Amino acid sequence: MLGKLLQKVVGTKNERELNRLAPLVDAINQLEPSLRALSDAELSARTADFKERLANGASLEDILVEAFAVCREAAVRALGMRPFDVQLIGGLVLHEGKIAEMKTGEGKTLAATLPVYLNALSGRGVHVVTVNDYLAKRDAEWMGGIYNLLGLSVGCILNQLDEAQRHQAYHADVTYGTNNEFGFDYLRDNMKFALSDMVQRDFYYAIVDEVDSILIDEARTPLIISGPAEKSTALYYQVDRIIPRLRAEEDYSVDEKARAASLSEAGVAHCEKLLKVDNLYDPRYIELLHHVQQALKAHAIFQKDVDYIVKGGQVIIVDEFTGRLMPGRRYSDGLHQALEAKENVKIENENQTLATITFQNYFRMYDKLAGMTGTADTEAVEFKQIYNLDVVVIPTHKEMIRLDHPDQIYRTEREKFEAAAGEIEDLYAKGQPVLVGTISIEKSERLSKMLDKRGVPHTVLNAKHHAKEAEIVAQAGQSKAVTISTNMAGRGTDIVLGSGVIDLGGLHILGTERHEARRIDNQLRGRSGRQGDPGSSRFYLSLEDDLLRIFGSDRIKGVMEKLGMEEGVPIEHNLISKGIENAQRRVEGHNFEIRKQLLEYDDVMNKQRQVIYAQRRMILEGQDLQETALDMMTELYDDLLTKYTEPKSPPQDWDLKSLAESLFNLFGLAKQFDPQAIAAQGFEAFRDSLKAEVEGLYRAQEERFGPELWRDVQKMIMLQAVDGQWKDHLLAMDHLKEGIGLRGYGQRDPLKEYQREGFEMFEELIDRVRQETVTFLLRLRLSRPEEAEDLTRPEQSPMYFSHNDDSLDRTVKRGGKKIGRNDPCPCGSGKKYKKCCGRKAA
């Protein structure tokens, strides 16, 4: 009661926001006469003036009013369109990093140019994100006239652009593109081998058009770049056959305490003979050496029915602490594959995730994020909780006069479609245009056949050919036009009423089913009644619709039965309409929880992703590679001393044999220790002398390769170690996530278990990166000059990009043609793509 009273006195939060912005709108309007008197050159010169003031310490807020006024005047001259006051309000809301809810036809695209221009003056680049290539290209060309008049450059990211074109587009002042392209370019950039190959720059400011579609509807499906998990599983089997021929103690030693196995010098020579290679530490054989080390570990350390079991043709890990099976978990770094080869079971040669990110975490990287849509208020809680974005509802320029009729509810779907087809036929005869919304292509085709039988000409759209559909949707307001579309078809396109249609009642919206989200229904309704035009809407429902069948309450069905339902007779009742809305609220809440849970799981990966990508950038920038390598060596060296020595105990009690083996295995340093000599030397001197020897090996390598080549070699070895281990870690985390739900049966929180185990696995990843980097750096030998070029030239593997949505219903092979659903799968399985990797990607 008190809340309602306060609202009457001080207004709602939304009204207070609008009142706060009103003085800024007045100030912008006051500048209009003086700017109108300027020539085009003088107007354009204001851009340089703004930039100079910003460089001298002014803030964007200091120049906001003038910049908005200049941009508005440029819109009048370049496009013949003058932003209304409500569009100025929308622009102000967007500049403040909020979501502007502006009804369809209110000019969101034009309103966005105001904050885009202002923020682009910073020189840091502004991204405008749309839902498909057609809209990105249309808006870049259309609004580009404003920016070009004011001396700013415009870029557009489209699917078919090459790397050079992408780089140029991202370094423009304003960049338009789709959410998929921005996200995939981010992932690709963090797989590059040179900073100069990266196309994106820092994430400063983004405006997301149709923000509910991108940040909510598509938030449940992450962007994924995948590739072949291994070049060949045959190598695992080949290496596995030689391990039983190695001799314990002579060819290799086992450290049970550390659960490690390492080859001796004799063992390395024996492997070289068995594998018919001249030098296992030759750069050509780095991968082969890794396979040998993992296969040795699989045979010498891991025991069947103790560490793992074989069940159903799979190697399943046994928890060493509880003895329970851990289905879904896999050892990383090729060890699990080595165990599969040991047990002669199938090694899965599947597509493996190379990089992945959710839209939720991608867009949260921007310093400032804003969005615009016709329908956001119903999801305001989610926008606030997930993205910290407030929603401000912008009033319409002219009063909304569309007539929204109550839902008509029928007993069966057949009766519903018969009634809908009948109304369409009547409106067609009258000349009033009809836009019909369906929730699936199947339903749109069903209605289309019914209209064919009735002789009603119509057009069917299904959100697959964006450019063509935008043109058709734009004509949907002409007299006698009947357009059937899925709810998303032609989104972002205004429907202009044809001659005489206003007198007929404007565009009629006919919905054939309620969507599970209220805002999708509101988007469909919003196609009619733009800019004060007349219009009407009505939804036709049945008790067989999914929403009512699955989520509708028994109360709705009870009311329907009491009211009685005859064949073909609809029911209109406020209680039922309210019950339907409550069902939608329940579904929205359920879907929100799913998206929230996805984010909670992805947050674990996101923190790890940030660490790895920061490490890659540091390597690419060449920052202190020598210091990094020496730090890695010191950390490994200190770990060995901590494990095998005890300063307070006599050297005779130390595990000097294991220390010597580990020093050779990690650093290639062959040592034999005399406990008495160590005791005479003292622990500090012993530690320092060993450290000096290890660093001496590094200095010798640097001298052998030369400073310039050594820097490039370090960079490539570090990158390969990080990328290889990260790829394996992503696979391990995928398997962990798949099986983590089973922990709930043990009264444990799956999310907390995922966070804990994911952290432990990441620590192991960091340790493996360190070991692999140091081992290869110190053991690397070049026998031919051309090997230097081979080593520093990155190998390009095929990549596949997937995101299951309407705007990218395909997988694209990097550097090749698009792969159709019925084409042979690129993984070589012999199956059709849709039944192989395409199914997995989806």
Side-chain angles (χ1 to χ4, degrees):
M1 191 75 176
L2 180 61
K4 290 183 178 178
L5 182 63
L6 284 172
Q7 275 191 13
K8 287 182 179 178
V9 176
V10 300
T12 64
K13 180 184 176 183
N14 200 80
E15 288 169 344
R16 293 196 298 273
E17 280 291 293
L18 297 176
N19 291 335
R20 178 179 64 82
L21 297 174
L24 289 173
V25 174
D26 291 339
I28 295 167
N29 287 334
Q30 288 172 13
L31 294 177
E32 193 167 19
S34 60
L35 292 174
R36 193 177 298 155
L38 298 179
S39 66
D40 286 358
E42 290 171 327
L43 188 68
S44 178
R46 296 300 303 271
T47 296
D49 174 55
F50 291 142
K51 287 183 176 181
E52 184 179 351
R53 287 162 62 182
L54 290 173
N56 291 331
S59 68
L60 291 179
E61 274 60 41
D62 293 335
I63 62 170
L64 183 149
V65 169
E66 296 169 76
F68 268 49
V70 165
C71 188
R72 174 196 258 182
E73 180 61 26
V76 174
R77 300 186 188 191
L79 308 180
M81 302 168 70
R82 177 185 177 276
F84 305 126
D85 286 0
V86 290
Q87 288 171 300
L88 295 182
I89 294 173
L92 291 168
V93 168
L94 292 173
H95 168 67
E96 292 180 348
K98 298 175 182 176
I99 292 175
E101 178 177 297
M102 301 177 69
K103 301 302 179 188
T104 300
E106 290 296 306
K108 296 187 294 290
T109 307
L110 183 60
T113 61
L114 302 159
V116 165
Y117 172 66
L118 172 63
N119 285 269
L121 294 170
S122 67
R124 297 179 61 188
V126 174
H127 294 171
V128 183
V129 187
T130 65
V131 292
N132 59 58
D133 276 355
Y134 164 74
L135 290 177
K137 187 171 185 292
R138 183 202 72 176
D139 293 353
E141 292 175 351
W142 188 16
M143 299 297 125
I146 298 173
Y147 307 125
N148 292 333
L149 176 61
L150 295 174
L152 296 183
S153 56
V154 183
C156 184
I157 305 295
L158 301 174
N159 180 257
Q160 66 271 21
L161 298 188
D162 60 28
E163 298 291 294
Q165 291 170 321
R166 287 175 186 273
H167 185 276
Q168 182 180 2
Y170 277 116
H171 285 72
D173 295 307
V174 182
T175 307
Y176 286 81
T178 68
N179 48 324
N180 286 316
E181 293 302 323
F182 281 119
F184 279 132
D185 281 337
Y186 168 71
L187 294 177
R188 278 194 294 255
D189 268 2
N190 284 284
M191 298 171 72
K192 299 287 177 60
F193 289 88
L195 287 174
S196 58
D197 292 338
M198 291 187 170
V199 297
Q200 289 187 335
R201 46 180 173 162
D202 292 340
F203 300 97
Y204 169 54
Y205 177 48
I207 296 178
V208 182
D209 193 9
E210 308 296 359
V211 67
D212 54 325
S213 174
I214 292 172
L215 296 191
I216 291 182
D217 295 336
E218 298 185 32
R220 284 165 63 174
T221 310
L223 294 173
I224 297 172
I225 295 181
S226 57
E230 292 292 336
K231 293 176 183 174
S232 172
T233 56
L235 189 55
Y236 284 106
Y237 295 117
Q238 177 191 345
V239 170
D240 183 77
R241 287 194 289 270
I242 74 162
I243 300 301
R245 300 169 66 179
L246 299 180
R247 298 153 298 198
E249 300 300 327
E250 189 175 337
D251 288 331
Y252 65 89
S253 59
V254 176
D255 184 345
E256 294 184 15
K257 189 189 302 182
R259 290 182 65 79
S262 55
L263 290 170
S264 63
E265 289 191 62
V268 172
H270 196 177
C271 287
E272 289 170 347
K273 182 178 178 182
L274 293 171
L275 292 169
K276 296 182 174 60
V277 299
D278 51 1
N279 177 11
L280 259 181
Y281 288 95
D282 187 295
R284 292 174 295 170
Y285 303 126
I286 282 179
E287 186 179 1
L288 181 59
L289 174 63
H290 177 71
H291 278 65
V292 169
Q293 290 169 334
Q294 294 303 78
L296 177 62
K297 194 173 180 181
H299 279 266
I301 303 295
F302 287 77
Q303 299 177 49
K304 183 180 178 182
D305 297 328
V306 177
D307 299 295
Y308 64 91
I309 67 166
V310 178
K311 184 178 180 182
Q314 292 184 317
V315 172
I316 301 176
I317 298 173
V318 176
D319 190 312
E320 61 177 315
F321 300 108
T322 66
R324 291 175 177 164
L325 299 183
M326 302 175 72
R329 283 293 304 270
R330 285 176 69 88
Y331 294 116
S332 57
D333 204 22
L335 178 58
H336 209 96
Q337 291 92 327
L339 288 169
E340 288 170 330
K342 172 189 172 184
E343 299 299 336
N344 200 31
V345 298
K346 183 183 178 184
I347 300 172
E348 293 293 331
N349 187 14
E350 59 188 8
N351 265 9
Q352 176 179 329
T353 299
L354 303 177
T356 178
I357 193 170
T358 59
F359 284 129
Q360 293 160 315
N361 274 320
Y362 173 76
F363 283 108
R364 292 197 304 180
M365 290 192 297
Y366 283 89
D367 292 348
K368 183 164 66 173
L369 180 65
M372 51 188 184
T373 180
T375 47
D377 200 37
T378 56
E379 314 292 346
V381 173
E382 181 167 353
F383 281 124
K384 185 63 178 176
Q385 285 190 21
I386 303 297
Y387 304 100
N388 195 30
L389 287 171
D390 290 315
V391 175
V392 179
V393 180
I394 311 299
T396 54
H397 176 56
K398 294 181 180 179
E399 185 183 353
M400 173 72 70
I401 59 172
R402 185 185 65 235
L403 180 60
D404 295 325
H405 297 288
D407 298 339
Q408 289 204 339
I409 306 164
Y410 292 81
R411 185 174 54 185
T412 65
E413 191 176 59
R414 177 185 58 78
E415 294 171 64
K416 174 186 75 173
F417 274 108
E418 285 291 342
E423 182 178 14
I424 294 169
E425 185 177 19
D426 291 344
L427 291 172
Y428 171 74
K430 175 184 169 185
Q432 185 175 359
V434 187
L435 177 63
V436 184
T438 65
I439 65 167
S440 69
I441 295 172
E442 178 191 357
K443 299 290 174 65
S444 63
E445 290 174 347
R446 176 177 178 177
L447 186 59
S448 174
K449 289 176 183 176
M450 296 176 72
L451 293 179
D452 283 338
K453 289 180 180 178
R454 293 170 180 259
V456 178
H458 60 278
T459 305
V460 182
L461 307 177
N462 55 24
K464 293 295 175 189
H465 307 289
H466 302 293
K468 177 184 174 185
E469 288 177 2
E471 295 170 11
I472 295 172
V473 167
Q475 300 302 312
Q478 303 302 310
S479 178
K480 286 187 173 292
V482 177
T483 310
I484 303 175
S485 82
T486 51
N487 288 339
M488 302 303 291
R491 187 169 180 175
T493 306
D494 280 346
I495 299 175
V496 180
L497 298 182
S499 176
V501 171
I502 289 178
D503 296 332
L504 294 171
L507 176 66
H508 180 67
I509 301 296
L510 191 150
T512 59
E513 196 165 334
R514 285 280 196 172
H515 195 275
E516 59 184 31
R518 288 167 295 162
R519 61 192 166 76
I520 305 296
D521 295 338
N522 293 337
Q523 285 164 7
L524 180 62
R525 275 202 177 107
R527 300 289 186 90
S528 174
R530 61 181 292 280
Q531 291 290 331
D533 285 341
S536 55
S537 71
R538 186 192 301 277
F539 279 84
Y540 284 78
L541 314 178
S542 82
L543 292 182
E544 293 178 347
D545 292 349
D546 289 343
L547 182 70
L548 292 179
R549 184 173 53 82
I550 300 171
F551 298 100
S553 67
D554 292 334
R555 189 180 179 193
I556 294 177
K557 294 170 185 172
V559 170
M560 302 286 281
E561 289 171 1
K562 286 179 182 178
L563 291 173
M565 297 193 69
E566 298 178 19
E567 173 78 23
V569 177
I571 292 290
E572 291 183 10
H573 198 286
N574 288 335
L575 181 62
I576 295 173
S577 296
K578 190 174 181 180
I580 291 168
E581 189 168 324
N582 287 336
Q584 289 177 306
R585 288 180 192 274
R586 286 199 296 277
V587 181
E588 288 167 358
H590 174 68
N591 289 337
F592 174 36
E593 287 303 315
I594 291 175
R595 290 188 291 267
K596 191 176 177 182
Q597 186 182 53
L598 172 72
L599 183 62
E600 287 171 340
Y601 276 89
D602 192 57
D603 277 345
V604 176
M605 282 300 303
N606 196 49
K607 292 182 178 72
Q608 298 177 2
R609 184 190 300 115
Q610 289 170 348
V611 171
I612 291 296
Y613 286 179
Q615 181 76 10
R616 282 191 100 259
R617 180 168 281 273
M618 185 204 74
I619 295 169
L620 288 173
E621 290 172 351
Q623 294 177 11
D624 305 319
L625 293 182
Q626 182 184 82
E627 185 179 336
T628 300
L630 290 172
D631 284 346
M632 287 181 174
M633 293 165 64
T634 301
E635 288 165 3
L636 289 172
Y637 170 74
D638 286 342
D639 288 346
L640 293 182
L641 288 183
T642 300
K643 185 181 292 184
Y644 298 119
T645 69
E646 174 51 60
K648 295 180 181 178
S649 303
Q652 288 86 345
D653 296 341
W654 298 355
D655 190 354
L656 291 173
K657 180 184 177 184
S658 295
L659 176 61
E661 289 172 350
S662 296
L663 284 170
F664 177 76
N665 190 41
L666 276 175
F667 305 112
L669 182 63
K671 296 291 292 184
Q672 286 187 333
F673 295 115
D674 179 358
Q676 292 181 338
I678 295 172
Q681 187 180 19
F683 179 79
E684 297 292 334
F686 168 71
R687 183 185 63 191
D688 292 343
S689 65
L690 269 184
K691 183 178 180 182
E693 284 191 68
V694 171
E695 289 189 2
L697 294 174
Y698 176 86
R699 303 296 180 192
Q701 285 285 78
E702 184 176 28
E703 189 175 333
R704 185 179 291 118
F705 282 82
E708 191 172 333
L709 177 57
W710 183 235
R711 186 182 64 250
D712 291 340
V713 166
Q714 285 185 106
K715 182 184 292 186
M716 294 315 302
I717 285 180
M718 287 179 181
L719 281 176
Q720 287 175 1
V722 169
D723 290 349
Q725 295 298 339
W726 177 242
K727 177 186 70 174
D728 289 341
H729 179 71
L730 286 174
L731 180 62
M733 291 292 283
D734 279 346
H735 286 292
L736 173 63
K737 188 186 292 185
E738 287 172 12
I740 205 71
L742 298 173
R743 308 296 170 84
Y745 292 112
Q747 304 301 309
R748 290 182 288 177
D749 183 347
L751 177 60
K752 288 183 179 176
E753 290 293 301
Y754 181 75
Q755 291 169 335
R756 180 182 61 79
E757 293 189 35
F759 177 71
E760 291 172 358
M761 290 163 63
F762 188 67
E763 284 190 315
E764 293 169 7
L765 154 74
I766 297 299
D767 194 49
R768 291 196 305 271
V769 168
R770 206 162 44 208
Q771 291 184 28
E772 184 176 324
T773 300
V774 169
T775 299
F776 287 133
L777 276 179
L778 297 185
R779 289 178 177 265
L780 194 63
R781 299 290 185 271
L782 298 181
S783 56
R784 305 184 314 278
E786 62 269 19
E787 285 180 358
E789 186 178 349
D790 292 341
L791 183 66
T792 56
R793 184 191 299 124
E795 183 178 344
Q796 292 295 329
S797 300
M799 286 190 272
Y800 311 101
F801 308 101
S802 60
H803 179 254
N804 188 23
D805 77 333
D806 282 332
S807 63
L808 195 68
D809 191 17
R810 65 183 185 277
T811 295
V812 181
K813 182 175 181 182
R814 188 71 176 151
K817 66 175 185 177
K818 295 176 183 175
I819 302 167
R821 290 173 55 78
N822 291 310
D823 290 342
C825 190
C827 75
S829 65
K831 300 178 182 178
K832 289 183 178 180
Y833 171 68
K834 67 180 179 182
K835 293 188 176 180
C836 189
C837 297
R839 176 177 54 79
K840 295 174 188 173

